[in-house]
Each structure stands twice: as structure tokens, then as C-alpha cells.
Amino acid sequence: MSIFLPYEKMWDMPLGGTSTDKQIPHWFGNLAFCVVGGITKLLFRYKVIGRDKLREFKDKTGVVVVCNHTSFLDVAFIYLAGRPSQWVRLIGRDSLFDNAKGLVGQILSRVGAIPIKRDSADRVAIKRASKALKNKELIGILPEGTRRYKGSKTPELHSGAAFIAKMGGSVPILPMTVRNAELVKQKGERFHFPKIYIEYGDPILLDDFDFLPKEDRLEGCTWYAMRECFAMFEQIAAEDVDMVELFPKTKDYSAIFAEHPIPKHTSKEIVESLDRETE
């Protein structure tokens, strides 16, 4: 049982999926799930809604899981919601991996996280993520990049989630959200312990956006996925989410999708379609 492994080695190793190559050792991830999962279950009594939408894809296809970002706890719940039978490999900014003299890097790498350089087309990170997706693993992405309402940075939406899904073999994108985690610690207030809800939406397929101009397809797909995330977060209809307020610097696709509704899919339907293709 290895206590320390080189970061780069773990970033390139599979975690879950169907590869027969040597995987990142599971013992630390299992231990983290038991300890962190137990503590968060006790403190926040968290509940996962629609987890079957994720489970349907197990060992059938890679999936890009996207989530809005309002709390430092989001990443923990994205990870916990997939366990114990699935591993969500989160993509995080590379600077996190050097914290605490590299200890944070060991922890993140042990649970499958992959570093990416912020505000750049990090080809190495994209290659690692797409390789994992082709191995039918799960990749988790927070397209906002940083926590909403923290700091002075205006939220921006990039097409990275859809691009990685495309590079991984045009795999499904699965929207999700974490509700009430933003209430745990607000500025100037003590810690609170609300009940936290994690919810999965319906999967999205890249091919459904082919009607858009080529230069808008990936951004439009990511925009649509994030609107689904915020609809679950705010518990309103997707059409009622004010994406202009949320992402003032990003093109507004509301009128386009109102005129050209995106087909709804279920995870089971997509998996059955994949099974037919392989028969």
C-alpha cells in the first residue's frame, strides 16, 4: 500500500471505468468517503435526489457532470454523491495542488482530481480528462471556475465542459446542483448546519445542438447545461432562470432555445441506445 505517489502518475492513471490498467489505489478514496461522508451526513443530513440518473451510466459510457458553484463544500458533495460505486474525477485549478506543501495535492490526486491551468486552453488537462471519459469514467466540472458571490470577479461561462465532453467521445453531460451548502458559512455569520440536497437533472447530448452555428455549439451546450443546474438550485423552471443576470458577459441563448427546444432524454434511454449500437 503506497502512502505517497507522484502526482503526475496518478493524474494519468484510471479510476473506475473499464480499463484493465493499474488504477489509482482505492484505499484512500474509500477512507475519505467513510470519514468525510460520515461527518457530513451527521452535520448536514445530506440527501441525493435522482442518483439513478448517474448510476445508469456506470461502465456504459463516460459522463461529464457539471454543477454550479456557490460553496467551498460543493466539491465534497459532488464527490460523495457518486460514491461508493462510482468515482467523480473533479477538474480543479492547478494552484490548489501545491497547498500545504503538496499535502492537498496528494489528497486531491488520490481521489482522482485532475489539475487544470485557469483561463487557458490546458491541452494536457483536456487530454487526461478525455482519456478518462473514453475509459467510461466520470469527470466533474464547475464551469463557473470560482465560487459565485465570492470576491469581485464577474462570473463568466466558458465552453470547456462541452469541449471536454466532445473530446471524450461526445459523451453525455449530466447537470447537477448542491442546495443549501451556500448557507453553511456566510460573511459575518457563524456556521450553520442546514440540510443539504444534491440533485441530478436529465442528461444532455451534444448532437442536439448541431442546429447552432459551429462557433456557438459548445458554448450554447454549456450555457444550456448550466441553466438546468440553476433551475434545480433555485427550484424553478429552466425558462425562468435569469441567465443574463447570472452571466452578464456571456451570450444569451434564451430566445434561441425557446424557438428551438432541446430534446429531453433519460439516462436509461441513452444507455439503451448505446447498447443497440454495440449489438
Side-chain angles (χ1 to χ4, degrees), residues 19 128 157-158 166 176 194:
S19 173
R128 284 173 173 144
L157 190 59
H158 302 286
K166 180 180 179 180
M176 71 171 293

Side-chain angles (χ1 to χ4, degrees), residues 20-135:
T20 56
D21 293 342
K22 185 176 180 181
Q23 298 203 4
I24 297 172
H26 290 190
W27 68 267
F28 183 87
N30 291 332
L31 178 63
F33 171 65
C34 292
V35 174
V36 178
I39 292 172
T40 51
K41 194 70 173 179
L42 177 65
L43 295 178
F44 305 113
R45 309 168 307 285
Y46 74 86
K47 180 180 180 181
V48 183
I49 302 168
R51 183 154 44 195
D52 58 303
K53 298 175 181 180
L54 181 72
R55 292 287 187 257
E56 288 280 357
F57 291 120
K58 181 174 169 58
D59 296 336
K60 296 292 186 178
T61 180
V63 180
V64 172
V65 179
V66 299
C67 184
N68 58 313
H69 197 12
T70 61
S71 166
F72 62 94
L73 286 172
D74 290 338
V75 291
F77 286 112
I78 294 170
Y79 175 77
L80 292 172
R83 299 299 325 275
S85 65
Q86 289 167 289
W87 307 79
V88 180
R89 303 191 66 170
L90 286 152
I91 292 184
R93 67 178 187 271
D94 58 346
S95 59
L96 290 173
F97 289 71
D98 294 325
N99 289 345
K101 297 183 179 180
L103 178 60
V104 173
Q106 273 291 324
I107 293 171
L108 292 175
S109 301
R110 284 281 182 175
V111 296
I114 297 171
I116 191 168
K117 296 175 182 177
R118 179 180 282 185
D119 299 325
S120 68
D122 190 339
R123 294 184 180 181
V124 175
I126 292 169
K127 184 177 179 180
R128 284 173 173 144
S130 61
K131 178 183 176 183
L133 290 170
K134 290 174 182 177
N135 181 42

Side-chain angles (χ1 to χ4, degrees), residues 1-7 10 27 102-103 106-107 110:
M1 180 172 67
S2 301
I3 301 298
F4 291 100
L5 288 172
Y7 297 173
M10 289 186 279
W27 68 267
L103 178 60
Q106 273 291 324
I107 293 171
R110 284 281 182 175

Side-chain angles (χ1 to χ4, degrees), residues 7 12 22 68 119 121 150-151 159 190 222 226 232 253:
Y7 297 173
D12 290 319
K22 185 176 180 181
N68 58 313
D119 299 325
K150 302 294 181 182
S159 60
R190 62 181 178 80
T222 303
M226 287 304 293
M232 290 186 288
Y253 292 85

